[in-house]
């Protein structure tokens, strides 16, 4: 009996010591100086979905914190955008110029969905926030955020998880809560947690954002979030956690009538390669470039750009190693491809001009460091890097963000938790 009591006392003492160690740091910061932030990305969660569905959790987040409509970087696809949020850089500069691209230096197409490609040295550029944070003494636990399962610049988050769609959103919430209770493998309470839901992207691709079929998925996400916000209260640092819920890009409705197949329109003898996707990439002989642009621009609903003269607002085209010399950008909701036979499709997709409202997403932020009930003007999602650095109290690495675009969302001098 005595032995059991001793063991219990020892256990209690250990967990108190562990908690002090988790919270305390050797760089002079005390437990009270520690900042915590948890950011969730819900793939393709378009800005207007909460207005069309029953989303009480997101609605209450909006009431108690900051809400903004954010817009993606070009191209409005999953990996370029998640990695821009993580690095504060435009895709040209962080190197993930699309989900797939032809890399001249390796001489073949590479895909973000192939581990053997993403593990190639030099595949990723920039300094992702989990590395910025850990280099400055913070702890990061990253759950399936694109780019986090690979060593970048010789570093990785303390804890990371490779992507799989198997765990339910409730199980993912449990993972985050366990981390914030100090129950992860390293026994630390992380300063930064980033997690990821692959919906509503998949359901919107299949049925299109205008369909009612997407509604149950949106409402399921909201109920998983309700569960998460209930459970996270168990964390001993709950009062000091700042929460962000956002997405990488929106979604546009497609139609079989809005379809263009470029096959047969260009002189194939001048085409070195076609890289499918949005934008559609075509590598043509330099002397054929102007002719190709002219031919494509006559078609309508698509626009051809030479890599070196893309619209400035997209900050795209300087990455000559990974971007073809000709890019074809469809109007919002149009499909353009270079295919052997016509494959018109409906449903939904993204990758269009980030300034089209269909590509815009939600941004919710709440916690002690945010204003309450504040509507923040729209900003580009790469500024989330600066928001995270500010929340963590760390120096940002070189980035393309603009502090003025996001600084108004923070509560002045407020350090106390939101008493909901
Ligand atoms: P897309 O719609 O082509 O931009 O890609 C979105 C899809 O990427 C999601 O539905 C996920 O299934 C998938 N995905 C997200 N993160 C990862 C990852 N880290 N590795 C592989 N696939 C991923
Ligand atoms: Zn996406
Ligand atoms: Zn998608």
């Amino acid at each position: 009996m005595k032995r059991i009591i001793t063991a219990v006392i020892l256990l209690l003492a250990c967990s108190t010591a562990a908690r002090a160690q988790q919270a305390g740091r050797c760089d002079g910061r005390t437990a009270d100086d520690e900042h915590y932030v948890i950011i969730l990305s819900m793939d393709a969660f378009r800005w207007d979905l909460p207005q069309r569905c029953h989303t009480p959790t997101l609605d209450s987040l909006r009431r108690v914190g900051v809400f903004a409509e954010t817009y993606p970087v070009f191209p409005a696809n999953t990996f370029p955008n998640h990695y821009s949020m993580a690095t504060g850089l435009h895709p040209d500069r962080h190197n993930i110029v699309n989900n797939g691209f032809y890399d001249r230096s390796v001489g073949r197409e590479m895909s973000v969905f192939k581990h053997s490609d993403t593990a190639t040295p030099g595949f990723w550029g920039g300094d992702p926030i989990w590395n910025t944070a850990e280099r400055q003494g913070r702890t990061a636990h990253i759950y399936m955020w694109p780019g986090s399962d690979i060593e970048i610049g010789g570093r990785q988050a303390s804890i990371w998880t490779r992507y799989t769609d198997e765990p339910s959103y409730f199980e993912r919430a449990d993972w985050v809560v366990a981390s914030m209770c100090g129950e992860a493998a390293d026994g630390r309470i992380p300063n930064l947690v980033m997690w990821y839901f692959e919906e509503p992207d998949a359901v919107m691709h299949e049925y299109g954002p205008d369909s009612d079929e997407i509604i149950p998925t949106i409402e399921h996400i909201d109920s998983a979030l309700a569960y998460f916000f209930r459970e996270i209260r168990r964390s001993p640092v709950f009062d000091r956690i700042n929460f962000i819920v956002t997405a990488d890009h929106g979604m546009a409705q497609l139609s079989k009538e809005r379809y263009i197949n470029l096959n047969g329109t260009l002189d194939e003898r001048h085409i070195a390669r076609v890289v499918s996707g949005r934008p559609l990439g075509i590598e043509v002989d330099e002397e054929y470039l102007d002719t190709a642009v002219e031919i494509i621009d006559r078609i309508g609903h698509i626009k051809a750009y030479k890599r070196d003269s893309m619209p400035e607002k997209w900050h795209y085209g300087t990455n000559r190693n990974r971007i073809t010399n000709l890019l074809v950008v469809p109007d919002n909701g149009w499909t353009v491809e270079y295919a052997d036979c016509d494959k018109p499709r409906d449903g939904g997709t993204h990758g269009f001009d980030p300034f089209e409202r269909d590509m815009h997403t939600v941004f919710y932020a709440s916690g002690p460091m945010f204003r309450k009930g504040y509507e923040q003007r729209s900003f580009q999602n790469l500024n989330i890097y600066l928001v995270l650095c500010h929340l963590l109290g760390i120096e940002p690495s070189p980035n393309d963000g603009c502090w003025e675009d996001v600084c108004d969302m923070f509560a002045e001098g407020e350090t106390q938790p939101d008493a909901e």
Side-chain angles (χ1 to χ4, degrees), residues 72-328:
V73 293
F74 184 90
N77 290 324
T78 298
F79 273 70
N81 275 277
H82 278 97
Y83 203 55
S84 283
M85 290 190 262
T87 58
L89 294 168
H90 281 288
D92 259 12
R93 297 226 290 150
H94 65 49
N95 233 8
I96 309 304
V97 297
N98 212 337
N99 286 351
F101 42 79
Y102 182 90
D103 185 301
R104 243 171 281 276
S105 66
V106 297
R108 62 178 170 83
E109 276 200 39
M110 302 184 98
S111 166
V112 297
F113 301 114
K114 257 174 80 183
H115 185 68
S116 54
D117 285 349
T118 61
T120 307
F123 188 88
W124 310 85
D127 186 41
I129 182 71
W130 49 86
N131 286 352
T132 316
E134 294 232 339
R135 203 180 306 108
Q136 296 180 51
R138 307 316 192 260
T139 302
H141 290 180
I142 313 293
Y143 193 76
M144 306 203 289
W145 194 279
S148 58
D149 60 342
I150 296 289
E151 216 174 75
I152 298 171
R155 295 196 82 103
Q156 222 168 341
S158 292
I159 297 201
W160 52 271
T161 310
R162 186 150 294 154
Y163 174 73
T164 151
D165 63 4
E166 276 165 25
S168 74
Y169 298 158
F170 290 81
E171 286 167 328
R172 298 179 202 199
D174 287 339
W175 189 97
V176 176
V177 170
S179 258
M180 294 311 292
C181 290
E183 293 160 12
D186 62 356
R188 299 188 77 97
I189 295 184
N191 303 95
L192 170 68
V193 173
M194 302 173 83
W195 57 316
Y196 173 76
F197 291 172
E198 59 276 324
E199 292 285 10
D201 182 77
V203 73
M204 294 220 285
H205 276 300
E206 186 170 357
Y207 297 104
D210 293 351
S211 72
D212 285 346
E213 278 89 344
I214 66 166
I215 293 173
T217 305
I218 306 302
E219 298 185 349
H220 175 72
I221 288 174
D222 195 80
S223 52
L225 284 177
Y227 171 78
F228 169 68
F229 282 109
R230 257 195 326 270
E231 291 295 305
I232 196 66
R233 288 174 175 270
R234 291 201 278 115
S235 166
V237 297
F238 169 72
D239 287 350
R240 278 179 289 137
I241 304 175
N242 294 287
F243 297 95
I244 297 176
V245 176
T246 189
D248 51 350
H249 51 72
M251 187 75 68
Q253 182 71 39
L254 298 175
S255 156
K256 287 184 175 166
E257 277 74 58
R258 297 195 290 267
Y259 177 81
I260 295 161
N261 187 350
L262 284 183
N263 197 352
T265 57
L266 300 176
D267 185 342
E268 284 205 348
R269 289 170 303 177
H270 297 292
I271 298 177
R273 75 187 64 89
V274 175
V275 181
S276 59
R278 268 160 315 282
L280 177 69
I282 310 177
E283 187 75 27
V284 302
D285 297 340
E286 283 296 319
E287 64 274 16
Y288 186 64
L289 208 41
D290 288 323
T291 311
V293 169
E294 243 174 68
I295 294 170
I296 293 169
D297 280 351
R298 274 203 298 269
I299 295 171
H301 299 295
I302 53 175
K303 176 101 187 76
Y305 295 99
K306 291 191 252 181
R307 176 185 53 213
D308 301 333
S309 44
M310 298 287 283
E312 229 172 86
K313 63 175 181 173
W314 290 343
H315 301 270
Y316 199 74
T318 58
N319 193 317
R320 302 175 70 89
N321 187 42
R322 289 189 170 180
I323 298 177
T324 55
N325 62 358
L326 183 66
L327 294 147
V328 185

